[in-house]
Amino acid sequence: MTVGELVYQQAIESGYNPTFAKGLVSPLNNAVEAYQKVFEHMREPLKTVSSVIESVRPQMEAMAKLSIPSISQLTMPTLPAIFNEENELFIPVLT
């Protein structure tokens, strides 16, 4: 008896069921095959997306370096003529 046959015999005695393994492996193989088919169909679109990303990368890096002031950094002009002494809205009449 070879080592492989001895290991197989011990596995059977320990409860190994070869039909269970076949039933488990077959669906896994089918799933892997389906994923491979999907990947093959997506290969060209993924190449296109990758090339577009690489073409806009310099612009995106330049935009990331821009400093855009926030609203709190902007100064609003003060218009004292709009409010009267009681802080009520005052709209002057233009003549």
Side-chain angles (χ1 to χ4, degrees):
M1 179 178 292
T2 66
V3 174
E5 291 170 341
L6 179 61
V7 169
Y8 183 75
Q9 182 182 3
Q10 289 175 345
I12 294 290
E13 290 170 1
S14 298
Y16 170 72
N17 184 353
T19 57
F20 173 75
K22 286 180 184 176
L24 183 64
V25 170
S26 180
L28 291 175
N29 286 339
N30 292 341
V32 168
E33 184 178 321
Y35 282 118
Q36 287 174 342
K37 286 180 183 178
V38 168
F39 181 74
E40 286 301 319
H41 288 298
M42 295 301 295
R43 184 181 303 266
E44 288 304 315
L46 289 173
K47 283 182 183 178
T48 303
V49 168
S50 177
S51 114
V52 168
I53 289 172
E54 286 304 315
S55 71
V56 298
R57 184 180 304 276
Q59 292 90 341
M60 296 301 289
E61 289 173 354
M63 287 172 59
K65 293 176 184 175
L66 288 177
S67 173
I68 301 173
S70 66
I71 297 293
S72 63
Q73 293 172 335
L74 298 175
T75 58
M76 296 295 291
T78 57
L79 301 173
I82 292 181
F83 294 98
N84 62 12
E85 293 79 22
E86 291 84 26
N87 278 339
E88 294 174 344
L89 184 59
F90 173 74
I91 301 174
V93 177
L94 299 176
T95 56

